[in-house]
Amino acid sequence: MRTTPLLGLSLTLLLTLGFQPATTPSYPWLSHAYSPRQTLTSRFPPPPGCVRVSQAEGSFGQWLRGLPLLPAGTAVRLHNGKLKTPQTVHAAVLDIDTGPRDLQQCADAVIRLRAEYQFSHNPDQVHFQLTSGHDIRYADWYRGNGFVVQGEEVVAQARPVEQPTHASFRRYLDQIFTYAGTRSLARELKPVALAQVQPGDVFIHGGSPGHAVMVLDVARHTTSGQQYILLAQSYMPAQNIHVLRNPDTRSLGAWFKVKLPDNGFATPEWHFLPGELGRFQ
């Protein structure tokens, strides 16, 4: 285990206690100051006897752990401001916009988090497939190479050249949300065994209907090796991205026990089949 001289504590233990890395992750959609006290790491310590699995500096997993949260007790609201039904499946709400349209649903929430991480490092890395299979790169889009959908055809269309600002990026994402979904996202993910689950992996069932839930964090018991995960989702209609609550084992709060062998994985609003875990490549 890598250690740090700060108070003689291990880095893993410091993260467990809410310590943030020297390099604060970037969350460019925030319109207010970032607070290390209102993050996934600070609000959700691992289950007793567990530590968070190691994540590299600057990795997607580390970025997810620093995600900002709205105050405890915040309700989940739909894109139109109405309350989600039910209000019993969430343990926290991410401090990230939903948008006023019914776009940022389940697969879109996964796309949003992955895209925001990439945007914060290098906007030109961002690209996603449409359900049609067309791969749409943000770099092409902001440089004036747009598209329109005509029936079942995706046709190239010139658009205004823009700078890669976050406002431009959000407009790009709304187009992706409109024409992507669980089917296209499932194609982009590499299957991974449940025993190898890592932060940033995705439970996904591609279909109509389908569903997608992101693994935000992973903790492991120091003696038994038992793994636990934190999960987040949006749903239909588009709603706040929220950390899921474990409805079956209340003592775990938001943590879910990973049960092996993989016989499927139940979340409060979906049961995923065996083998429905994927990873961004």
Side-chain angles (χ1 to χ4, degrees):
M1 182 180 295
R2 184 162 66 94
T3 59
T4 176
L6 182 60
L7 301 181
L9 296 176
S10 72
L11 177 60
T12 303
L13 180 55
L14 287 167
L15 288 173
T16 298
L17 296 174
F19 175 80
Q20 297 297 313
T23 303
T24 301
S26 175
Y27 306 99
W29 66 84
L30 289 176
S31 59
H32 55 82
Y34 176 79
S35 173
R37 296 185 178 182
Q38 289 287 349
T39 65
L40 194 76
T41 295
S42 61
R43 290 263 295 275
F44 294 99
C50 297
V51 294
R52 287 180 153 90
V53 299
S54 177
Q55 293 292 288
E57 181 80 16
S59 67
F60 188 31
Q62 185 197 62
W63 184 88
L64 289 170
R65 285 175 175 166
L67 280 170
L69 302 178
L70 292 171
T74 298
V76 175
R77 293 188 178 273
L78 309 183
H79 63 95
N80 57 12
K82 295 182 179 179
L83 291 172
K84 170 188 171 69
T85 303
Q87 286 286 314
T88 55
V89 302
H90 74 282
V93 177
L94 270 60
D95 189 357
I96 187 170
D97 63 283
T98 304
R101 300 163 63 192
D102 187 11
L103 291 178
Q104 194 169 278
Q105 299 182 4
C106 59
D108 310 305
V110 170
I111 290 171
R112 176 75 188 275
L113 293 177
R114 178 64 178 180
E116 288 282 4
Y117 164 71
Q118 292 179 314
F119 180 86
S120 70
H121 284 73
N122 179 1
D124 288 357
Q125 291 180 338
V126 179
H127 68 99
F128 292 95
Q129 291 183 16
L130 309 183
T131 300
S132 64
H134 292 78
D135 194 284
I136 307 299
R137 304 192 68 87
Y138 175 54
D140 294 333
W141 193 86
Y142 76 75
R143 289 169 179 154
N145 301 307
F147 69 93
V148 292
V149 175
Q150 298 177 350
E152 295 189 7
E153 296 294 321
V154 178
V155 181
Q157 184 179 74
R159 62 175 309 279
V161 175
E162 300 183 70
Q163 293 299 310
T165 63
H166 194 266
S168 163
F169 171 67
R170 280 294 285 118
R171 289 192 290 275
Y172 160 84
L173 283 179
D174 277 352
Q175 275 211 297
I176 298 298
F177 296 163
T178 302
Y179 299 110
T182 55
R183 289 187 187 277
S184 59
L185 183 59
R187 289 197 305 262
E188 298 196 58
L189 301 175
K190 174 184 176 181
V192 62
L194 182 59
Q196 305 301 318
V197 64
Q198 288 287 321
D201 289 347
V202 182
F203 286 101
I204 187 161
H205 179 85
S208 299
H211 194 40
V213 170
M214 174 162 275
V215 178
L216 294 180
D217 207 350
V218 180
R220 182 178 293 114
H221 195 276
T222 56
T223 303
S224 68
Q226 174 63 55
Q227 295 187 100
Y228 299 85
I229 56 180
L230 288 176
L231 303 171
Q233 69 168 21
S234 177
Y235 208 43
M236 298 182 292
Q239 55 200 249
N240 296 134
I241 304 175
H242 47 281
V243 180
L244 291 173
R245 181 187 304 278
N246 187 329
D248 299 321
T249 311
R250 294 189 177 184
S251 61
L252 288 176
W255 291 93
F256 289 75
K257 184 177 182 179
V258 176
K259 299 177 181 178
L260 299 174
D262 182 1
N263 293 316
F265 197 92
T267 67
E269 296 182 295
W270 195 273
H271 189 281
F272 292 95
L273 301 175
E276 291 190 326
L277 181 68
R279 181 173 297 166
F280 283 102
Q281 304 182 57

